[in-house]
Amino acid sequence: MAEAHQAVAFQFTVTPDGVDFRLSREALKHIYLSGINSWKKRLIRIKNGILRGVYPGSPTSWLVVVMATVGFSYCKVDISLGLVCCIQRYLPERCGPYQTPQTRALLSMAIFSTGVWVTGIFLFRQTLKLLLSYHGWMFEMHGKTSRFTKIWAICVRLLSSQRPMLYSFQTSLPKLPVPSVPATIHRYLESVRPLLEDKEYYRMETLAKEFQDKTAPRLQKYLILKSWWATNYVSDWWEEYVYLRGRSPLMVNSNYYVMDLVLIKNTDVQAARLGNAVHAMIMYRRKLDREDIKPVMALGIVPMCCYQMERMFNTTRIPGKETDVLQHLAESRHVAVYHKGRFFKVWLYEGSRLLKPRDLELQFQRILDDPSPPQPGEEKLAALTAGGRVEWAQARQTFFSSGKNKASLDAIERAAFFVALDEESHCYSPDDEASLSLYGKALLHGNCYNRWFDKSFTLISFKNGVLGLNTEHAWADAPVIGHLWEFVLGTDTFHLGYTETGHCMGEPNLMLAPPQRLQWDIPKQCQAVIDSSYQVAKVLADDVELYCFQFLPFGKGLIKKCRTSPDAFVQIALQLAHFRDKGKFCLTYEASMTRMFREGRTETVRSCTSESTAFVQAMMKGSHMKADLQDLFRKASEKHQNMYRLAMTGAGIDRHLFCLYLVSKYLGVSSPFLAEVLSEPWRLSTSQIPQSQIHMFDPNQHPKHLAAGGGFGPVADDGYGVSYMIAGENTIFFHVSSKFSSSETNAQRFGNHIRQALLDIADLFQVPKANN
């Protein structure tokens, strides 16, 4: 087979005359080029590490300082105030290359200049960290910026104006602060007040007071100690205990999906679309490795933490009996592909050269044309990643720890990412409302065995050329994968392009070795475990009701005319919709980011507030004047925006209580208050999907280049999961999930309530709406 000849550099046979070696020059050439490529990457990482370590300094700035020192010295001006002479006295007199007085003087000035340069870098970073610790700008009214904030913004711009690399600001970001216990308890009680009857609230207030006075001070000391020692006092525990220690299936419960552009199609050729997308992803990975990606900046001036991007590629979640681990490799030169029950390994490089889109299209088309059947047990093998984590860990140890099974599993787990070639077609048709929901269901769980749910992400390609992602959650949050996805879609459409027949540009290299089929030896016992995991996953997938829709009457543009933030507008509409749906309020989770701090991830905004419930109740009564309703809405909106800002600036509620709870468990301290808080169900879990993180095109010139965002499964069995993307000025996409098994929920019914709530709130402000 052709791939076998590529796999070895030489062959030998034993003859009567001795051993006959037959060298493969082509194979040796590929090995040599691969080695050269690996060394290039090492050198790039070393160079980037140095440049990142001295930012905003650079070799050029160091040379300028040295030349200035030498220049002043020749002009008989000692800017070192005697330090150069002091350094010169301590240099050995009669050894090495600095025996002459001139050489000793130059070396002393170089040492002094280096010290000045390093000191300048240190002072710059500390000054920038101090400036970035100021968050008052977030709490100022739009258009009413204070003079202090304007001066602060100028200083930040000046200190961050040098062309930064991706991770240049990491060490300048402040640490996430630990809130005070009284402040957290106060905000917690305020958040549950609209949800509890008086008697129940007073009981909770008593528990909170007892915790604050007796247990919390000891726990807080340990937490403050951790915040001094660790880079972030939350993130490592959040990753371990919320994600990696979870024993329930990843599918639906943890993984989330991302959709393609839904209003345009670049090509109907499945292999061609995939060729462009995979090529764009590896281009992005190359930029990531070289740190050529611009840091994400809030308002264009405040840097966001980018550490989550490090594990975007070459990462797999490895199952364990008690806890999983994230395996991240520095390099991977292939992707793993699934098609019709078979697994393949596709090389991304030929020697040191990245395969062009047309070559990748050829490789994927070869897989599509391959008529070979699956091996016994191979077709539903990936169901192991969709079922329980303990069962998968046991099966992995028992059946995949040696031989060809281990080699093939390694090929999947060590891949850059996973690719699923589906045989069905999905797309969004505005005339068929159900089409978007079916598309979302296919991305969320597929048929339960055609996604490798452990990989950092699975790139899904449908038969009609439509793409999507299924993403594992432990390694990063949605904005990070969204950054990659925007780059891929923009590169595919505006840079790579297609021929008139829908194929990738260029001519394919027909001499490329075909994709390598992975080999398995799966015994009957393992097949039984696979089938058991599949049955668990199928019950879970069949129970998910997903309703996705495009809200067309208006978007961000007209919401702003209400003089409120679009996010607050949608969140208050969700409260109104939920009350109409269930006749009661519930604890509501909205995810916000804490990436203004080093290694920050997320914080919870408790969107159900006393102000929002007052507005909803007034709307339900129907007897209030429009002016009164507007006033109640504005109060609810201002409250929500303030809570969101507090969460983003490290003054949230839930991450602090979560960490206090973990400390109590480590110390063996019982806290009825923390136990009750951490067991409260989130019956409405929401998230806004970011967009336009990368400005690769003008949305005004290309209004149809819209992705529909993505979604996730319901967090509570009797609750809803809602994600939404405010897609430009004129539309909003919603993804609503629930479970069929709950008699209290219905995703489509709730979606219709959301529609009506948005329209009713817009009517309060007499906002004109577009026709459906």
Side-chain angles (χ1 to χ4, degrees):
M1 295 172 66
E3 62 269 24
H5 289 288
Q6 295 290 336
V8 293
F10 66 90
Q11 299 171 336
F12 68 91
T13 55
V14 179
T15 67
D17 298 324
V19 180
D20 177 27
F21 287 93
R22 288 176 289 166
L23 294 174
S24 169
R25 293 183 179 179
E26 187 64 23
L28 285 173
K29 175 186 173 184
H30 282 286
I31 291 173
Y32 169 75
L33 291 174
S34 296
I36 294 294
N37 191 50
S38 295
W39 275 106
K40 282 181 180 178
K41 287 193 172 184
R42 289 191 186 102
L43 292 174
I44 289 171
R45 289 192 186 106
I46 292 170
K47 182 199 77 171
N48 287 344
I50 294 171
L51 294 176
R52 186 193 328 126
V54 301
Y55 183 85
S58 64
T60 304
S61 64
W62 174 82
L63 189 60
V64 168
V65 176
V66 172
M67 291 176 65
T69 305
V70 173
F72 277 108
S73 176
Y74 278 100
C75 294
K76 307 300 182 182
V77 178
D78 184 10
I79 61 171
S80 71
L81 302 177
L83 285 176
V84 170
C85 294
C86 184
I87 294 169
Q88 193 169 349
R89 283 199 301 270
Y90 283 96
L91 290 177
E93 294 184 4
R94 294 185 179 179
C95 66
Y98 37 79
Q99 296 180 359
T100 66
Q102 293 83 357
T103 306
R104 289 161 56 81
L106 283 172
L107 182 59
S108 300
M109 285 185 278
I111 293 173
F112 167 76
S113 300
T114 301
V116 171
W117 182 67
V118 171
T119 302
I121 292 170
F122 175 78
L123 291 174
F124 161 86
R125 290 187 171 181
Q126 293 305 309
T127 303
L128 184 57
K129 182 178 288 189
L130 185 64
L131 288 169
L132 294 177
S133 298
Y134 168 71
H135 300 119
W137 60 274
M138 292 191 65
F139 296 88
E140 294 180 348
M141 294 289 291
H142 183 69
K144 296 182 180 180
T145 307
S146 67
R147 182 176 298 175
F148 181 86
T149 297
K150 289 177 180 177
I151 295 172
W152 166 85
I154 292 170
C155 292
V156 172
R157 285 185 186 276
L158 287 173
L159 291 176
S160 58
S161 59
Q162 298 293 326
R163 287 173 292 182
M165 296 189 299
L166 179 61
Y167 304 120
S168 291
F169 295 115
Q170 288 298 102
T171 55
S172 298
L173 294 173
K175 286 188 175 183
L176 182 69
V178 181
S180 70
V181 172
T184 298
I185 295 296
H186 172 75
R187 284 193 285 267
Y188 169 77
L189 291 174
E190 189 180 39
S191 74
V192 298
R193 187 65 189 94
L195 303 173
L196 302 177
E197 299 291 339
D198 289 347
K199 184 177 180 181
E200 186 64 19
Y201 175 76
Y202 293 138
R203 184 187 71 83
M204 203 67 199
E205 191 177 39
T206 303
L207 285 177
K209 180 67 174 174
E210 181 183 359
F211 169 75
Q212 179 178 325
D213 294 340
K214 296 181 179 179
T215 311
R218 183 186 175 197
L219 305 182
Q220 181 79 346
K221 288 176 183 177
Y222 281 95
L223 207 54
I224 291 173
L225 182 63
K226 187 195 176 187
S227 73
W228 291 345
W229 177 256
T231 310
N232 187 295
Y233 82 92
V234 176
S235 293
D236 57 338
W237 284 350
W238 187 255
E239 179 178 301
E240 179 180 356
Y241 289 97
V242 172
Y243 294 116
L244 298 181
R245 283 184 179 266
R247 302 293 81 198
S248 58
L250 299 184
M251 186 194 77
V252 175
N253 294 320
S254 180
N255 285 27
Y256 56 94
Y257 65 86
V258 184
M259 286 184 170
D260 198 353
L261 300 173
V262 291
L263 301 182
I264 63 164
K265 278 186 72 175
N266 293 322
T267 179
D268 292 322
V269 181
Q270 184 178 14
R273 186 79 196 288
L274 196 54
N276 266 6
V278 171
H279 184 82
M281 284 180 167
I282 302 305
M283 285 173 61
Y284 185 94
R285 187 180 70 169
R286 180 185 290 175
K287 286 177 172 286
L288 199 60
D289 290 341
R290 296 177 179 179
E291 300 184 31
D292 285 341
I293 298 171
K294 293 180 180 179
V296 179
M297 311 283 275
L299 299 180
I301 57 172
V302 180
M304 301 282 107
C305 181
C306 297
Y307 94 101
Q308 294 180 57
M309 291 182 170
E310 295 175 358
R311 298 182 294 182
M312 186 178 294
F313 296 93
N314 324 332
T315 298
T316 300
R317 180 166 170 168
I318 306 297
K321 292 181 181 178
E322 294 184 359
T323 182
D324 296 352
V325 295
L326 286 175
Q327 172 187 282
H328 173 69
L329 305 176
E331 172 67 359
S332 178
R333 299 173 61 81
H334 72 276
V335 292
V337 181
Y338 179 90
H339 176 245
K340 280 189 174 180
R342 299 131 343 134
F343 291 88
F344 296 84
K345 181 178 182 179
V346 176
W347 292 103
L348 299 170
Y349 295 86
E350 184 184 22
S352 61
R353 182 184 67 84
L354 172 63
L355 292 184
K356 296 177 180 178
R358 190 68 179 89
D359 294 333
L360 289 167
E361 178 188 349
L362 171 67
Q363 298 293 66
F364 293 127
Q365 191 60 50
R366 284 172 168 175
I367 293 174
L368 291 170
D369 295 339
D370 187 330
S372 61
Q375 299 161 74
E378 182 183 19
E379 182 180 14
K380 296 182 180 178
L381 175 63
L384 290 170
T385 69
R389 304 306 290 170
V390 175
E391 293 79 6
W392 174 206
Q394 292 171 339
R396 188 176 186 276
Q397 184 178 0
T398 305
F399 303 110
F400 298 90
S401 57
S402 62
K404 62 173 67 174
N405 286 350
K406 184 179 187 303
S408 294
L409 183 61
D410 280 348
I412 295 173
E413 293 181 340
R414 299 174 73 87
F417 51 90
F418 193 79
V419 177
L421 284 165
D422 281 16
E423 281 296 291
E424 57 186 17
S425 294
H426 282 287
C427 66
Y428 171 49
S429 172
D431 297 328
D432 180 10
E433 186 181 70
S435 61
L436 196 63
S437 303
L438 292 172
Y439 176 27
K441 284 272 284 183
L443 294 175
L444 181 63
H445 52 67
N447 60 15
C448 303
Y449 57 80
N450 57 355
R451 317 276 182 258
W452 198 270
F453 294 100
D454 287 355
K455 287 301 290 183
S456 54
F457 64 88
T458 295
L459 174 59
I460 301 159
S461 171
F462 295 105
K463 196 167 186 177
N464 57 348
V466 173
L467 301 176
L469 297 175
N470 183 286
T471 308
E472 201 278 320
H473 210 325
W475 64 274
D477 302 306
V480 177
I481 199 71
H483 195 277
L484 163 69
W485 197 232
E486 284 185 30
F487 177 87
V488 170
L489 296 181
T491 302
D492 170 45
T493 303
F494 298 103
H495 296 281
L496 298 177
Y498 299 89
T499 65
E500 292 182 359
T501 56
H503 293 279
C504 295
M505 306 295 283
E507 294 296 326
N509 178 9
L510 299 177
M511 299 304 293
L512 283 174
Q516 178 183 339
R517 177 78 185 274
L518 299 185
Q519 301 300 313
W520 308 92
D521 183 11
I522 301 175
K524 293 291 185 181
Q525 303 96 309
C526 184
Q527 293 181 35
V529 177
I530 292 171
D531 188 64
S532 175
S533 292
Y534 169 67
Q535 295 302 327
V536 169
K538 191 174 187 304
V539 169
L540 183 59
D542 289 346
D543 195 26
V544 174
E545 180 185 11
L546 187 66
Y547 179 55
C548 307
F549 64 93
Q550 181 182 11
F551 181 76
L552 289 168
F554 58 87
K556 179 172 62 177
L558 294 182
I559 290 176
K560 287 181 177 178
K561 293 183 179 180
C562 301
R563 296 184 180 179
T564 186
S565 81
D567 182 68
F569 189 99
V570 174
Q571 284 291 328
I572 295 170
L574 290 175
Q575 292 300 316
L576 177 58
H578 187 272
F579 193 86
R580 286 172 171 171
D581 185 80
K582 286 191 173 184
K584 59 185 178 181
F585 298 106
C586 72
L587 195 61
T588 305
Y589 182 113
E590 182 188 7
S592 73
M593 67 173 185
T594 56
R595 289 174 64 193
M596 289 191 294
F597 302 97
R598 193 170 180 184
E599 295 189 11
R601 290 196 62 165
T602 60
E603 177 57 275
T604 305
V605 179
R606 293 176 168 236
S607 302
C608 184
T609 63
S610 296
E611 290 79 2
S612 65
T613 55
F615 168 74
V616 169
Q617 288 168 341
M619 286 287 287
M620 295 301 294
K621 287 180 181 178
S623 58
H624 286 69
M625 299 292 290
K626 184 174 288 188
D628 295 333
L629 292 172
Q630 289 175 355
D631 184 57
L632 289 170
F633 176 83
R634 288 199 176 96
K635 288 179 179 177
S637 174
E638 288 169 6
K639 177 67 174 181
H640 179 82
Q641 290 177 72
N642 187 61
M643 290 179 60
Y644 203 98
R645 291 162 184 154
L646 287 170
M648 287 185 67
T649 53
I653 301 168
D654 291 276
R655 298 302 178 270
H656 186 202
L657 293 178
F658 164 76
C659 289
L660 289 172
Y661 176 76
L662 284 181
V663 174
S664 74
K665 288 298 181 182
Y666 283 131
L667 297 178
V669 176
S670 175
S671 171
F673 171 73
L674 288 178
E676 190 159 339
V677 170
L678 270 294
S679 63
E680 291 170 345
W682 300 98
R683 290 192 170 87
L684 180 55
S685 182
T686 71
S687 180
Q688 181 184 177
I689 303 159
Q691 61 163 343
S692 300
Q693 298 182 78
I694 304 176
H695 301 287
M696 297 188 69
F697 61 92
D698 184 353
N700 294 322
Q701 294 182 7
H702 305 279
K704 289 189 175 294
H705 286 72
L706 290 178
F712 52 88
V715 174
D717 290 339
D718 58 348
Y720 291 110
V722 181
S723 66
Y724 53 94
M725 188 174 79
I726 304 170
E729 300 294 310
N730 302 309
T731 190
I732 308 173
F733 285 99
F734 285 91
H735 305 253
V736 183
S737 63
S738 63
K739 291 191 175 183
F740 287 113
S741 57
S742 172
S743 59
E744 296 183 31
T745 57
N746 182 298
Q748 184 165 355
R749 182 185 70 206
F750 187 45
N752 291 332
H753 283 310
I754 293 171
R755 272 198 187 95
Q756 191 59 49
L758 290 167
L759 293 171
D760 290 346
I761 294 175
D763 283 340
L764 291 179
F765 296 90
Q766 296 181 334
V767 176
K769 298 172 285 296
N771 294 325
N772 283 298

